[in-house]
Amino acid sequence: MSEQTEPIRASGSVVLDETDRLLLAHLGRDGRASYADIGLLANLSATAVRRRIDRLRSRGVVRGFTVVLDPEVLGWQTEAFVEIYCRERTAPEEILASLRQFAEVVAAWTVTGDPDALVHLRAADTRHLEAVIERIRREPGVQRSRSSVVLSQLIG
Amino acid sequence: MSEQTEPIRASGSVVLDETDRLLLAHLGRDGRASYADIGLLANLSATAVRRRIDRLRSRGVVRGFTVVLDPEVLGWQTEAFVEIYCRERTAPEEILASLRQFAEVVAAWTVTGDPDALVHLRAADTRHLEAVIERIRREPGVQRSRSSVVLSQLIG
DNA sequence: ATTGAAACTCAGCATGT
DNA sequence: ACATGCTGAGTTTCAAT
């Protein structure tokens, strides 16, 4: 008989019931909400809420709590998303590999749908942003691109 | 919009002193830390800490608090981007506010260009993803949406 | 910054499934 | 066993000073 202190994590799939989802959704909206308040939403006592959240922590689902700061104040800069349309016989991976060199590229994904790839940019200002987008458009494998400047980050 | 009730924030003019940075750093690490605990770090009373944080909230520096989830533990590996087209006379902010309730919404931005907003989703699988997108499409202010499933994240 | 009242957290114990 | 509810002591919040 083996002693079991850690909950066994079935590879990658932790099961959440509907109540867990309610609690997490509420905590997502207000990470400092009291357990009693959260409980009102789910018809649970504060104790039950706390136990469920503790369990979610120990299972690693909840990594912690944090403050959400306004991107501008954080010193974040001008952001944009650029959809990349690849030229024939060009793999998006090739293009994105060459985009790696740009510090302005925060993230990039290959996607299904009309465009082949989506690139998340961050630049000092619109001038800087324009220059980066221009360089991306001039990449050999890029047929065309479509840009959206981020006005504000409302979630995330 | 008929009237502008919200003050327009002059860009990037908020100044934080060293104490503010200390408090925010601590709250970043533990968003549920008590004011007294935070105060120990900065040699402030709990009341003083609370007042500073309240001021940071009212200045818009602190947007709120939230829970940090571990997507991998949840087994949520399917990602997508959804472009939202708002119905007439509907502000994207309204829609995105209602999207806050979904734990599957990783991030959301209002953007320039054809769509009004861009939403980053993360779900367990395509089934799960489909359900979330379906719920988003049914939001009152949403006229139409266009989804791209993420094939792979190459940068970021 | 300090005070005091109300609210909250959190352990231990009890109950129902 | 397990998840929840209750109780009470200690802590934290919050408005007033």
Side-chain angles (χ1 to χ4, degrees):
Chain A
M1 240 185 289
S2 63
E3 209 171 323
Q4 180 180 322
T5 54
E6 292 273 331
I8 295 175
R9 176 150 69 236
S11 53
S13 63
V14 175
V15 183
L16 302 184
D17 63 13
E18 199 48 46
T19 306
D20 286 331
R21 288 181 196 285
L22 264 174
L23 306 188
L24 291 179
H26 196 269
L27 281 173
R29 263 175 275 126
D30 179 7
R32 279 182 87 89
S34 73
Y35 297 136
D37 275 354
I38 302 168
L40 288 178
L41 195 81
N43 287 325
L44 280 181
S45 71
T47 320
V49 171
R50 199 183 77 82
R51 292 229 180 86
R52 285 186 98 108
I53 293 173
D54 281 351
R55 215 165 57 239
L56 289 170
R57 280 194 94 130
S58 71
R59 284 197 283 171
V61 176
V62 168
R63 194 181 284 171
F65 297 87
T66 193
V67 61
V68 183
L69 300 178
D70 190 301
E72 284 186 24
V73 178
L74 255 176
W76 284 24
Q77 300 142 331
T78 308
E79 288 177 84
F81 284 92
V82 181
E83 293 175 352
I84 307 281
Y85 293 75
C86 289
R87 211 174 285 285
E88 301 262 339
R89 275 183 291 287
T90 301
E93 286 83 355
E94 290 178 41
I95 294 173
L96 297 186
S98 62
L99 293 188
R100 251 178 210 290
Q101 59 185 309
F102 299 123
E104 293 87 353
V105 174
V106 176
W109 304 265
T110 54
V111 294
T112 67
D114 227 28
D116 298 298
L118 185 66
V119 179
H120 186 185
L121 296 180
R122 184 176 293 152
D125 47 36
T126 47
R127 251 181 103 81
H128 184 189
L129 194 62
E130 185 180 22
V132 177
I133 293 174
E134 207 36 58
R135 291 183 73 174
I136 290 177
R137 293 180 86 113
R138 277 202 295 270
E139 284 291 321
V142 174
Q143 186 181 64
R144 68 188 190 90
S145 70
R146 201 180 66 131
S147 306
S148 298
V149 174
V150 171
L151 296 174
S152 65
Q153 175 155 13
L154 296 184
I155 303 176
Chain B
M1 234 181 256
S2 54
E3 268 181 69
Q4 184 75 39
T5 54
E6 293 273 329
I8 295 174
R9 181 165 60 248
S11 57
S13 58
V14 177
V15 183
L16 303 183
D17 64 13
E18 200 48 47
T19 306
D20 285 332
R21 288 181 195 284
L22 263 174
L23 306 188
L24 291 178
H26 197 269
L27 279 173
R29 265 176 271 124
D30 179 8
R32 281 182 83 91
S34 73
Y35 297 137
D37 275 353
I38 301 167
L40 290 177
L41 195 79
N43 287 327
L44 281 179
S45 72
T47 325
V49 171
R50 199 181 81 82
R51 285 248 262 275
R52 284 187 98 104
I53 293 173
D54 280 351
R55 206 166 83 244
L56 289 170
R57 280 194 94 131
S58 70
R59 284 197 285 170
V61 178
V62 168
R63 192 178 279 178
F65 297 87
T66 193
V67 62
V68 182
L69 301 179
D70 190 327
E72 294 199 2
V73 172
L74 284 171
W76 291 7
Q77 287 153 344
T78 308
E79 287 178 83
F81 285 91
V82 182
E83 292 175 352
I84 306 281
Y85 294 76
C86 290
R87 212 173 284 283
E88 301 261 340
R89 279 183 287 287
T90 300
E93 287 83 355
E94 290 178 39
I95 294 173
L96 296 186
S98 62
L99 294 188
R100 248 178 212 291
Q101 65 183 302
F102 301 122
E104 293 87 353
V105 174
V106 177
W109 305 266
T110 54
V111 293
T112 67
D114 227 29
D116 298 298
L118 185 65
V119 179
H120 186 186
L121 297 178
R122 186 173 273 149
D125 48 36
T126 49
R127 250 182 104 80
H128 184 190
L129 195 63
E130 185 180 21
V132 177
I133 292 175
E134 206 37 58
R135 291 183 73 173
I136 290 177
R137 295 182 84 113
R138 276 202 295 269
E139 285 292 320
V142 175
Q143 187 182 61
R144 69 187 189 89
S145 70
R146 201 181 64 130
S147 306
S148 297
V149 174
V150 171
L151 297 173
S152 64
Q153 175 154 12
L154 296 184
I155 302 176

